[in-house]
Amino acid sequence: MPATRDPEIYRSYIEARKIWRSKIGWKLTHEEALRILNDVTQASQKGDWGARALLASFYREGLGVLPSNHVLDPDPVKAVGLTRLGVEAGQPWAFYDMGVAYEHGDGGVPYDVDIAWAYYLKAAELGSPEAQMALADAYSNVKRFDAEKIMLQCAYKQGYGAAADALAVKARGSRLYQEAIQLYQDGVKFGGYASASSLYLLFDDGNWSTSDKDEKEALKALGITADPERSLRYKAIAEALKINPDLKLIRLDQVLPLPPVKLPSWNGIEDAVEPTSTTSPTY
């Protein structure tokens, strides 16, 4: 990825992205949707890779879910065109997206699973956590569980919430409950809605609804009990992450530590969110 980014172009893109992530899609006004599209398009045309990736996703899915805020129809061909520019620049997100296009035969590219997996592999080697998750799933399907875990760990170590959640589920299946709870906590830090929901449900009752007798006893032995205040905090975080998965909660352990640490005061999810950086943007 590029080592640096133009600060002004990046600022325009990221402000548009913040508006896009600020509310559920149907709540966007037409003016907001149009500003998002225009600012992201301009930043993409000026070369910001994040804006290009986001614009490609808009062309895949459209922008504006209601007639009142609809500003862009899906155009898979244009999405693939933008993605090819990312591939030419050697960027992981683009190799992954091209894999998706070939796997489904979208955007004017032929359906070709072999080519799709070649793109996924390249993307994973370049560091795409989405591609690493795709490979993990493929390894699981052929019962290569050691390789699956390696791919999940690669994505997890990059701060990818879905990978932390997947590893937590595996740890729980192996009855490694302390490890599972810590992985869920890490998933929340990374912006993982599923992990936040799991911890909300855990502390709501002191166990999960699917817990068997042995699991309930093991959780109790770890000091996990029904904790309404912890549960409410995780629920609030889960609701925020459902709307804005871009949030990184790097200060989570300070405002919502795991038991047996007592809970400090709480002013809301903002206490846990990574502060806005004032330094020059990197990739």
Side-chain angles (χ1 to χ4, degrees), residues 109-163:
V109 304
Y111 169 78
D112 193 316
V113 175
D114 289 337
I115 293 179
W117 282 105
Y119 273 106
Y120 287 147
L121 179 59
K122 181 65 174 178
E125 290 172 344
L126 290 173
S128 163
E130 294 89 348
Q132 290 161 356
M133 293 291 287
L135 287 177
D137 188 54
Y139 285 132
S140 176
N141 289 338
V142 295
K143 303 187 186 306
R144 292 180 58 184
F145 300 119
D146 288 346
E148 175 199 14
K149 189 172 183 179
I150 289 170
M151 286 295 99
L152 290 175
Q153 288 173 336
C154 284
Y156 163 73
K157 288 178 180 178
Q158 294 187 83
Y160 194 60

Side-chain angles (χ1 to χ4, degrees), residues 19-224:
I19 296 171
W20 175 58
R21 289 299 204 190
S22 67
K23 57 187 75 174
I24 298 172
W26 59 268
K27 289 188 175 182
L28 286 172
T29 67
H30 185 273
E31 292 74 18
E32 287 172 330
L34 193 60
R35 176 187 168 185
I36 292 165
L37 178 61
N38 288 340
D39 288 355
V40 172
T41 299
Q42 290 179 23
S44 172
Q45 291 172 344
K46 292 177 180 177
D48 187 272
W49 72 266
R52 181 173 292 160
L54 183 56
L55 185 59
S57 75
F58 289 161
Y59 276 120
R60 282 195 304 273
E61 303 165 11
L63 181 60
V65 297
L66 298 176
S68 60
N69 66 10
H70 186 73
V71 295
L72 185 69
D73 291 324
D75 190 334
V77 173
K78 287 187 177 180
V80 168
L82 288 168
T83 302
R84 289 191 188 280
L85 293 177
V87 169
E88 290 170 6
Q91 295 173 352
W93 71 268
F95 282 93
Y96 173 75
D97 283 2
M98 282 303 299
V100 174
Y102 275 101
E103 185 176 6
H104 299 283
D106 291 337
V109 304
Y111 169 78
D112 193 316
V113 175
D114 289 337
I115 293 179
W117 282 105
Y119 273 106
Y120 287 147
L121 179 59
K122 181 65 174 178
E125 290 172 344
L126 290 173
S128 163
E130 294 89 348
Q132 290 161 356
M133 293 291 287
L135 287 177
D137 188 54
Y139 285 132
S140 176
N141 289 338
V142 295
K143 303 187 186 306
R144 292 180 58 184
F145 300 119
D146 288 346
E148 175 199 14
K149 189 172 183 179
I150 289 170
M151 286 295 99
L152 290 175
Q153 288 173 336
C154 284
Y156 163 73
K157 288 178 180 178
Q158 294 187 83
Y160 194 60
D165 189 73
L167 287 168
V169 170
K170 287 187 173 298
R172 185 183 165 198
S174 299
R175 300 195 177 275
L176 301 172
Y177 300 116
Q178 189 73 61
E179 180 179 331
I181 292 169
Q182 183 60 60
L183 284 164
Y184 281 132
Q185 180 82 342
D186 290 345
V188 178
K189 294 176 192 175
F190 301 157
Y193 164 77
S195 291
S197 296
S198 291
L199 291 178
Y200 148 58
L201 294 172
L202 173 63
F203 289 109
D204 191 41
D205 287 328
N207 55 73
W208 292 285
S209 61
T210 55
S211 295
D212 59 21
K213 181 180 178 180
D214 289 342
E215 185 170 79
K216 289 178 180 179
E217 290 178 355
L219 290 169
K220 187 176 181 180
L222 290 174
I224 303 299

